[in-house]
Amino acid sequence: MSAGTDDRARSRERATGEAAGGDPRLDALVGRLPPRVSGTVTYLLQPSNRWVRMPAGALLVVGGVLSFLPVLGIWMLPLGLALLAEDVPGLRSQRSKILDWIERRKPHWLGAGSRPNDQT
């Protein structure tokens, strides 16, 4: 992660009292997103934003299912499920299993390396 990404992660932890979503692995993945998207996802993961997070997650899941349409994409499905997992215990355990898999198979996604879309 770059210095700017580390600063954003620290400010998220200070603002919410914990990492985004309560899981440092999720925080590492959110930190790899482009800054604008990262800020939005971090906002949605704050505990006080439950009533915004649930409809946003549901809309992202529907958009992911309708990914065959030109504007929508399959990327919406995992993001929507991750947002819904904050409030649905069954999805939370599945999210934890997926993050465990990522930690084992793709540790560079969670590592301190540079973001894939950096132009440095």
Side-chain angles (χ1 to χ4, degrees), residues 59-73:
L59 288 173
L60 284 167
V61 168
V62 169
V65 170
L66 298 174
S67 64
F68 60 88
L69 296 173
V71 176
L72 307 174

Side-chain angles (χ1 to χ4, degrees), residues 75-116:
W75 63 269
M76 298 171 123
L77 188 60
L79 181 57
L81 290 172
L83 289 175
L84 288 175
E86 287 298 306
D87 302 307
V88 180
L91 290 176
R92 194 174 303 135
S93 66
Q94 293 302 314
R95 182 186 68 186
S96 181
K97 288 178 185 177
I98 290 169
L99 289 173
D100 289 343
W101 181 87
I102 290 172
E103 195 170 30
R104 282 191 315 274
R105 300 288 177 121
K106 305 284 185 182
H108 60 280
W109 288 4
L110 304 174
S114 65
R115 290 179 18 207

